[in-house]
Amino acid sequence: MNAMTPVSAAPDTMGLALRDTVLSPRFYTTDFEALDRVDVGPVRQEWDALLAEMASDPNKNHFRRSEPFDNKLESLPEDLRKEFVDFLVSSLTSEFSGCVLYAEIAKRAKNPDVVALFKFLARDESRHSGFLNETLKDYGIGVDLGFLTKTKKYTFFKPKFIFYAVYLSEKIGYARYIAIYRQLERHPELRFHPLFSWFKNWCNDEFRHGEAFALLMRSDPSLLRGANRLWIRFFLLSVYATMYVRDHTRPAFHAALGLDPTEYDYQVFRICSEITRQVFPLTLDTDDAKFRALMERMRVLSDAMTAAKQRGGFFSVLTRARLLAGLGTTFLRLYLIPAQANALPRTVRLAPAW
């Protein structure tokens, strides 16, 4: 099969990328003038070292292929094929949403520190999304990124919410990719697509990006205390719950990698919790039995909502309303589980040692 030969019954990747659900990656915009007031003076030494590292462009030659990946999508079992394409499109949309946001900040901000950082971030995310889209194009199902930019709905977040959300997205992205990479290091026979071989260096980009947002937050201690601690808990729980529910919708994908989605997710949560101690004054107790039981309830309720939506009809609307209330109550119960306090280290930066 050549690079432009479509698979039979090709999936609607554009439709997948345009989905607007609780579990879908979102596009963001922010207050650009507020970003001009950012002062990285308190972390200047670490900031300059990080930007020098980014300027050296460690992955400049990493996202290149001499030819299309030669594996055939139709050679995968139907359920795995569907879930792998969903994984690719979701990852692409997430990476590209970062690229769009970062490029817009670099264009519209005037603060030289902010502009320099976001130019590097946009460069990296452009590579990531382009690399993923090339993989889809191998099968004739690439996504029109220009159309996606114009059509996707945008959510406004204040800069501090951008910092919380994107920091977590980058660090959990690192944890997810490195966990898969290490699994396939141990079991190379499970590497059903060449894409996974790129994950080690790839996830180091995600790690560096997270370091930048950690420094931005540590430069302004007010973002990490008082009522903002409640927002940090909210974003931590939202990211973890979204990942848990979404990953359990891809059982064939995880089984092909030799991973149990529950065990994999809690491994990722542990890695992420270790990392976020560099900046967040608290972590979630993801090993707590009550936490795990409520996360599983979130998954069950979400699955029931999906099934009710597929059935359609008037009673389906009532059922979904009841299930949505149950999800809200369960999320609140999760939120009220005591968090674990964390004393912030003197230095911020970490090395990707997992």
Side-chain angles (χ1 to χ4, degrees):
M1 178 177 125
N2 62 41
M4 296 307 295
T5 302
V7 298
S8 57
D12 177 17
T13 51
M14 197 71 229
L16 291 174
L18 288 170
R19 280 180 306 188
D20 186 19
T21 70
V22 174
L23 302 180
S24 304
R26 296 183 179 277
F27 278 31
Y28 295 99
T29 187
T30 191
D31 182 341
F32 303 101
E33 291 183 2
L35 287 171
D36 287 335
R37 296 191 289 273
V38 168
D39 177 13
V40 297
V43 293
R44 173 59 66 185
Q45 185 174 357
E46 290 183 277
W47 179 270
D48 287 347
L50 176 62
L51 261 65
E53 183 180 332
M54 289 182 167
S56 72
D57 203 357
N59 279 337
K60 182 177 182 179
N61 299 314
H62 182 61
F63 295 96
R64 294 182 180 178
R65 304 182 322 181
S66 58
E67 57 187 24
F69 291 138
D70 60 2
N71 70 313
K72 293 178 170 60
L73 193 60
E74 69 266 26
S75 68
L76 301 176
E78 183 178 355
D79 53 351
L80 175 57
R81 181 169 67 245
K82 179 181 178 182
E83 292 176 19
F84 181 51
V85 169
D86 182 68
F87 168 79
L88 291 174
V89 174
S90 177
S91 300
L92 164 63
T93 309
S94 180
E95 298 277 9
F96 188 63
S97 71
C99 175
V100 171
L101 173 65
Y102 299 160
E104 193 67 11
I105 291 174
K107 177 182 177 182
R108 297 180 60 176
K110 298 180 177 63
N111 182 321
D113 289 313
V114 170
V115 171
L117 169 65
F118 283 92
K119 281 183 177 179
F120 292 139
L121 298 181
R123 173 200 67 193
D124 293 346
E125 299 294 9
S126 176
R127 285 179 185 154
H128 300 169
S129 55
F131 193 75
L132 285 163
N133 210 20
E134 285 301 310
T135 302
L136 290 168
K137 288 178 181 178
D138 287 343
Y139 308 126
I141 52 175
V143 173
D144 183 341
L145 297 179
F147 183 75
L148 185 64
T149 304
K150 298 174 184 176
T151 311
K152 189 79 169 175
K153 293 180 180 179
Y154 286 74
T155 300
F156 177 85
F157 266 8
K158 293 181 179 179
K160 71 175 181 180
F161 296 147
I162 292 288
F163 294 170
Y164 301 148
V166 178
Y167 170 74
L168 281 169
S169 175
E170 299 284 6
K171 290 302 190 182
I172 210 166
Y174 164 81
R176 288 171 62 80
Y177 282 9
I178 199 62
I180 290 175
Y181 183 84
R182 298 300 184 202
Q183 165 71 357
L184 297 179
E185 239 184 356
R186 294 187 295 269
H187 301 284
E189 73 280 3
L190 298 176
R191 188 179 292 113
F192 66 83
H193 193 282
L195 177 75
F196 300 117
S197 297
W198 267 258
F199 272 18
K200 184 178 181 181
N201 285 21
W202 190 332
C203 73
N204 288 341
D205 272 352
E206 311 290 355
F207 196 92
R208 269 187 293 273
H209 296 180
E211 293 295 282
F213 286 96
L215 289 170
L216 286 169
M217 288 185 280
R218 288 290 298 271
S219 72
D220 183 358
S222 70
L223 298 177
L224 307 172
R225 62 191 181 207
N228 285 328
R229 292 169 60 96
L230 302 178
W231 282 116
I232 290 169
R233 283 179 69 176
F234 173 81
F235 277 96
L236 276 166
L237 183 56
S238 296
V239 169
Y240 286 7
T242 299
M243 175 180 159
Y244 187 86
V245 171
R246 183 183 59 218
D247 279 357
H248 282 79
T249 66
R250 300 175 184 149
F253 173 76
H254 290 92
L257 295 171
L259 295 169
D260 174 271
T262 299
E263 293 177 3
Y264 167 70
D265 281 8
Y266 281 103
Q267 178 189 4
V268 169
F269 297 161
R270 283 192 292 272
I271 294 172
C272 200
S273 292
E274 290 176 25
I275 293 171
T276 60
R277 290 189 178 99
Q278 71 179 152
V279 62
F280 286 160
L282 57 92
T283 59
L284 303 183
D285 186 2
T286 59
D287 290 325
D288 183 282
K290 183 179 179 182
F291 181 94
R292 295 195 172 202
L294 289 171
M295 286 285 275
E296 182 61 14
R297 177 167 172 76
M298 289 281 288
R299 182 193 68 79
V300 170
L301 290 170
S302 179
D303 287 351
M305 275 197 69
T306 300
K309 184 176 182 180
Q310 290 173 346
R311 287 195 302 271
F314 174 74
F315 290 106
S316 168
V317 174
L318 296 179
T319 299
R320 286 158 58 193
R322 175 178 58 81
L323 292 169
L324 184 61
L327 280 166
T329 301
T330 304
F331 186 90
L332 178 61
R333 292 174 65 191
L334 277 162
Y335 187 84
L336 293 176
I337 295 175
Q340 298 173 320
N342 172 56
L344 298 183
R346 181 178 177 183
T347 57
V348 182
R349 293 200 59 194
L350 297 173
W354 283 265

